[in-house]
Amino acid sequence: MQKIDDTEITPEIVKEHGLTPEEYERIVGAMGRAPNYTELGIYSVMWSEHCSYKSSRFHLKKLPTEAPWVICGPGENAGVIDIGDDQAVIFKMESHNHPSYIEPYQGAATGVGGILRDVFTMGARPVANLNALRFGEPNHPKTKHLLAGVVEGVGGYGNCVGVPTVGGETNFDPSYNGNILVNAMTVGIADKDKIFYCAAAGVGNPVVYVGSKTGRDGIHGATMASAEFTEDSEEKRPTVQVGDPFTEKLLIEACLELMDTDAIIAIQDMGAAGLTSSSVEMASKGGVGFELNLDKVPQREENMTPYEMCLSESQERMLMVLKPGREAMAQAIFEKWELDFAVIGEITDTGKLTLTFGGEIVGDMPINSLVDDAPEYERPYVATPKREVADVPAANDLNKAVIDLIGGPHLCSRRWIWEQYDHMVMGDTIQRPGGDAAVVRVHGTDKALAICTDVTPRYCFADPVEGGRQAVAETWRNITAVGGTPLAITNCLNFGNPERTDIMGQFVGCLEGMAEACRALDYPIVSGNVSLYNETNGSGILPTPAIGGVGVMADSSKMATIDFKRAGDVVLLLGETKNELGSSLYQRELFADDEQNPSAPPHVDLALERRTGDFVRTFIESGQVDTCHDLSDGGLIAALADMAIAGGMGVNVTVENDLPLHATLFSETQARYLIAASAEVAGAIRKKANEAGIPAAVLGATGGKRLRVNDGAVDITMNKLTKAHAGWMPNFMANAS
């Protein structure tokens, strides 16, 4: 056996690197010899679940990724779509779950930093950050600490780097007690003719390292993210990276300045697996080899080994291939921004990643074996059984039921969270957190982007196919509700252990539903991330395929918001309400729905979603409707409460149908919207809805200081409603450490 760093390659060492005996033999076969310790480390990260998607690639190929407006789909650092006027939007969502559980501040902060780099690497100036956060039950001893640390980390990094955090979601469920989810999304804007890719080209061209120095933080980060937690997971703190948002800001400006020249041939950020993944991906995409001299890698710690340099996940670092002769000019730019710059190698025609250190070759691996030969598993799975439709009883006290939900952890205001984020920096945020979608103006124009994140994990657990459909449709509705035209999505697929057939069944089912929804809504997937093994001691999270949606509006002055604006406006419900209380918040919170054997969730009629949403959007785009809210968690009564609280104005409605009142109020039937408009506009909408075959019912009118339903069947003062909604989160987080 060969030795490097005095470490012999034993079966135990192979196992510690997350490789099976069969995978190790596959490596030996690909190399024609046994790997040394550095090479084993490189294979372990490139073949990890986190980097190779070995359990998910087979099924990811089934997702729709193309549309006339898609410039670049999955496979690059981020997805790219055309928004007209020779502009492109570049965006992606990624997970930083395991690091955030171990070290919540740095885990969340470096998650934000990493996704920012994915976007500006491609030539875009980041204009918005979003997130999707999930924590355990509120009374779990760690929840308050984890929530406080993650929110501080998200805000600390985003605020310092000067990119607004404009939206997201935060939810609680016992399944996340031992494995929280921190999914970060960044959206950027670029000129369509100035998009940068990672494919290296040109034998002899210089390979350049820029940014921060390399340290020992983050080693084995990708491997850790590819395994479930056990009792000793908190000992893995050394695998959590440490971020510096001020350096990231400098890196953004330096990279964008260099991108204004013709110097860059290819560029890649050093994310998971650091120098290894960036160099291998660039060489693989270009069909070339890389020779790197590790002695030239800028280092902030003494006596670093080749293994440590290759696997470090130190933050704020990039790898570039430059045109020959442009090195001095590029170096001057990076030194002006006080960043490291070093030529560490060159492109070769060998098709290998060759590493030298101290004058000796310490690594020599075929690039194609690191990428193309990575295992691909078509793991066995068992489809989730169909659930029974629930017959959920009426609450004894409807007023109390409304207050319990609106003033509870699931539907309460998230203001305590988003007030810690700078959501107005850059001056283009025109719809702040708290609505259906964030809206960010395209600087200097009337055009705007509508952006949101969403998923309902309890639906995905009860029926993965239906839950996958709903996750996509929900973001489509959210963008539509503010007046945007949905264009494309990114995703972050968070699941448990794929080696369990029931978990793999959840994954396959959710992807099936997502694919159906994307096709039906012309809403392709252009980027994303898979995060598996989200388990602790065999207890997995709810299946959580978080969706990040992006849409565009031509005239942002026509944007709709959820708040009631004028007393006397007619409140109109578009869409039919069905008795669909299965897996609803009402059932879960008030009647202790069996989490292991839940009821069937609402059905998602994708044709109806498309028809209703397109109908609603035309009235917003025309400027006739400025108040709109889609219906989701908590149903009709939750949407009415949201709109009343946001506008500081009461509402008096009467609902008439064949359903029990509690079903009408709390059903989570999909494809529904609430609109508030003048009597004249409401009449025109009803007439056109009738012609289009879309149910439209006048519920009542805005005004007063009470939320009233059916002559007092629900009757709550706005003061009581607002206080309950605003109070839960600050009260819960009081004295958080």
Side-chain angles (χ1 to χ4, degrees):
M1 293 281 186
Q2 287 183 285
K3 291 184 179 180
I4 288 288
D5 299 341
D6 296 319
T7 303
E8 183 179 358
I9 308 303
T10 64
E12 291 73 26
I13 291 293
V14 171
K15 184 177 181 180
E16 286 175 10
H17 281 75
L19 294 164
T20 67
E22 293 77 17
E23 288 170 344
Y24 178 73
E25 290 305 317
R26 187 170 181 154
I27 293 168
V28 172
M31 296 186 67
R33 60 175 173 81
N36 62 40
Y37 188 61
T38 298
E39 293 166 335
L40 181 73
I42 288 172
Y43 271 98
S44 77
V45 292
M46 291 308 301
W47 285 17
S48 69
E49 198 74 64
H50 191 77
C51 292
S52 75
Y53 299 125
K54 58 189 175 187
S55 294
S56 57
R57 288 206 312 272
F58 176 82
H59 298 285
L60 293 174
K61 297 170 188 174
K62 304 172 186 177
L63 296 174
T65 60
E66 297 179 349
W69 51 89
V70 174
I71 296 172
C72 178
E76 277 288 339
N77 286 290
V80 187
I81 58 173
D82 189 337
I83 60 166
D85 304 313
D86 295 321
Q87 292 177 312
V89 168
I90 300 177
F91 65 103
K92 189 181 182 183
M93 182 190 290
E94 277 205 344
S95 62
H96 230 224
N97 304 335
H98 287 54
S100 299
Y101 182 77
I102 294 171
E103 176 48 66
Y105 181 91
Q106 290 296 348
T110 52
V112 173
I115 197 64
L116 281 164
R117 287 193 299 280
D118 278 340
V119 168
F120 76 73
T121 292
M122 298 192 69
R125 178 169 290 280
V127 297
N129 287 331
L130 296 90
N131 52 68
L133 311 177
R134 285 182 167 78
F135 299 93
E137 55 196 331
N139 62 3
H140 188 274
K142 283 193 173 184
T143 296
K144 191 181 294 189
H145 162 73
L146 291 169
L147 175 58
V150 165
V151 169
E152 188 180 358
V154 169
Y157 204 100
N159 296 353
C160 291
V161 85
V163 177
T165 301
V166 298
E169 52 174 346
T170 302
N171 296 108
F172 302 90
D173 187 90
S175 75
Y176 307 108
N177 281 345
N179 201 124
I180 65 173
L181 300 184
V182 175
N183 296 171
M185 177 178 173
T186 293
V187 180
I189 296 176
D191 292 337
K192 200 167 75 170
D193 62 350
K194 290 185 178 179
I195 297 168
F196 291 80
Y197 299 96
C198 73
V203 173
N205 283 345
V207 177
V208 175
Y209 173 120
V210 301
S212 290
K213 289 179 168 60
T214 295
R216 292 188 171 95
D217 50 327
I219 294 172
H220 288 307
T223 307
M224 180 191 69
S226 305
E228 66 178 82
F229 281 145
T230 58
E231 291 90 344
D232 64 351
S233 291
E234 299 213 19
E235 297 174 7
K236 296 181 179 178
R237 288 182 190 273
T239 64
V240 178
Q241 311 94 318
V242 177
D244 180 352
F246 299 104
T247 299
E248 181 102 338
K249 174 62 174 173
L250 300 178
L251 188 59
I252 291 173
E253 299 303 331
C255 286
L256 292 177
E257 182 175 339
L258 186 59
M259 286 169 172
D260 278 339
T261 74
D262 67 347
I264 299 174
I265 293 173
I267 181 170
Q268 177 79 11
D269 85 291
M270 295 191 209
L275 180 60
T276 288
S277 64
S278 56
S279 55
V280 169
E281 287 172 19
M282 293 176 81
S284 172
K285 289 281 177 61
V288 296
F290 268 30
E291 182 173 323
L292 304 181
N293 182 349
L294 299 179
D295 293 298
K296 296 185 177 181
V297 171
Q299 300 160 53
R300 68 166 183 262
E301 299 186 45
E302 294 182 357
N303 302 317
M304 290 193 70
T305 65
Y307 180 97
E308 291 170 331
M309 282 185 273
C310 288
L311 270 62
S312 168
E313 293 184 7
S314 293
Q315 298 293 286
E316 295 89 38
R317 302 179 301 157
M318 311 284 279
L319 201 63
M320 300 178 178
V321 174
L322 300 182
K323 291 181 180 177
R326 303 295 201 279
E327 297 93 328
M329 178 266 290
Q331 183 169 0
I333 290 174
F334 281 89
E335 288 182 349
K336 179 185 77 172
W337 290 101
E338 299 181 346
L339 296 166
D340 276 284
F341 178 99
V343 177
I344 65 169
E346 65 178 25
I347 294 178
T348 68
D349 61 2
T350 64
K352 292 185 175 183
L353 175 63
T354 303
L355 307 172
T356 63
F357 181 68
E360 296 182 8
I361 293 176
V362 294
D364 196 29
M365 296 147 284
I367 294 288
N368 63 355
S369 75
L370 290 165
V371 180
D372 300 335
D373 290 346
E376 179 178 317
Y377 297 126
E378 188 178 348
R379 296 195 184 278
Y381 67 89
V382 174
T384 301
K386 286 295 180 183
R387 314 291 186 174
E388 293 185 3
V389 176
D391 182 16
V392 184
N396 292 329
D397 183 339
L398 285 177
N399 284 341
K400 183 177 185 301
V402 173
I403 290 294
D404 285 349
L405 285 178
I406 296 298
H410 304 291
L411 295 181
C412 72
S413 170
R414 268 54 178 159
R415 180 181 288 271
W416 181 91
I417 294 174
W418 57 258
E419 280 192 337
Q420 297 184 55
Y421 305 152
D422 188 339
H423 47 274
M424 299 302 293
V425 66
M426 301 179 82
D428 285 317
T429 305
I430 54 177
Q431 183 155 168
R432 306 181 185 191
D436 282 320
V439 180
V440 177
R441 184 188 298 109
V442 176
H443 192 71
T445 74
D446 294 325
K447 191 164 58 176
L449 305 179
I451 322 163
C452 64
T453 62
D454 225 305
V455 64
T456 309
R458 63 182 187 277
Y459 292 174
C460 295
F461 182 71
D463 186 331
V465 177
E466 212 67 87
R469 291 188 192 115
Q470 193 273 342
V472 173
E474 172 77 3
T475 65
W476 193 88
R477 273 203 311 277
N478 287 336
I479 290 169
T480 294
V482 300
T485 299
L487 292 179
I489 66 175
T490 184
N491 61 53
C492 200
L493 307 177
N494 308 274
F495 290 81
N497 185 343
E499 297 167 49
R500 289 171 46 188
T501 56
D502 59 328
I503 300 296
M504 200 65 207
Q506 294 171 356
F507 183 84
V508 173
C510 283
L511 262 63
E512 179 185 334
M514 288 166 53
E516 289 178 13
C518 289
R519 292 188 181 98
L521 300 173
D522 283 337
Y523 196 36
I525 296 171
V526 298
S527 61
N529 169 245
V530 178
S531 175
L532 302 177
Y533 295 96
N534 288 289
E535 299 200 358
T536 299
N537 296 325
S539 178
I541 62 165
L542 292 179
T544 311
I547 304 294
V550 174
V552 68
M553 55 179 65
D555 184 355
S556 59
S557 69
K558 306 288 179 60
M559 172 187 75
T561 57
I562 70 171
D563 51 304
F564 290 144
K565 297 175 179 65
R566 297 162 294 271
D569 270 359
V570 172
V571 178
L572 199 63
L573 172 63
L574 294 173
E576 179 185 2
T577 301
K578 300 177 182 178
N579 192 342
E580 292 185 302
L581 288 169
S583 293
S584 66
L585 277 182
Y586 174 83
Q587 181 189 35
R588 177 67 59 87
E589 294 305 301
L590 302 183
F591 293 94
D593 180 31
D594 182 358
E595 292 192 5
Q596 295 308 310
N597 187 28
S599 310
H603 173 61
V604 181
D605 183 332
L606 293 167
L608 183 62
E609 286 281 5
R610 181 69 182 264
R611 190 164 72 249
T612 308
D614 288 347
F615 178 84
V616 169
R617 193 182 309 106
T618 60
F619 286 93
I620 300 174
E621 289 176 334
S622 70
Q624 297 176 77
V625 169
D626 62 0
T627 302
C628 182
H629 192 11
D630 86 301
L631 273 64
S632 55
D633 280 352
L636 172 63
I637 194 66
L640 286 167
D642 284 345
M643 299 170 85
I645 292 167
M649 183 185 303
V651 62
N652 189 353
V653 303
T654 300
V655 290
E656 298 176 342
N657 55 35
D658 296 332
L659 302 179
L661 182 58
H662 73 283
T664 299
L665 295 181
F666 296 101
S667 170
E668 294 179 5
T669 298
Q670 304 292 293
R672 296 183 298 160
Y673 299 81
L674 276 176
I675 286 173
S678 68
E680 180 183 358
V681 170
I685 292 173
R686 284 192 74 195
K687 182 175 182 294
K688 288 187 178 293
N690 186 56
E691 294 169 358
I694 295 170
V698 172
L699 299 186
T702 61
K705 297 181 179 180
R706 310 183 80 86
L707 171 64
R708 280 178 58 85
V709 178
N710 287 20
D711 294 325
V714 172
D715 191 354
I716 306 171
T717 67
M718 285 303 303
N719 183 56
K720 183 176 182 179
L721 191 68
T722 302
K723 187 175 180 180
H725 185 249
W728 187 89
M729 186 74 74
N731 291 337
F732 172 65
M733 293 306 296
N735 303 316
S737 58

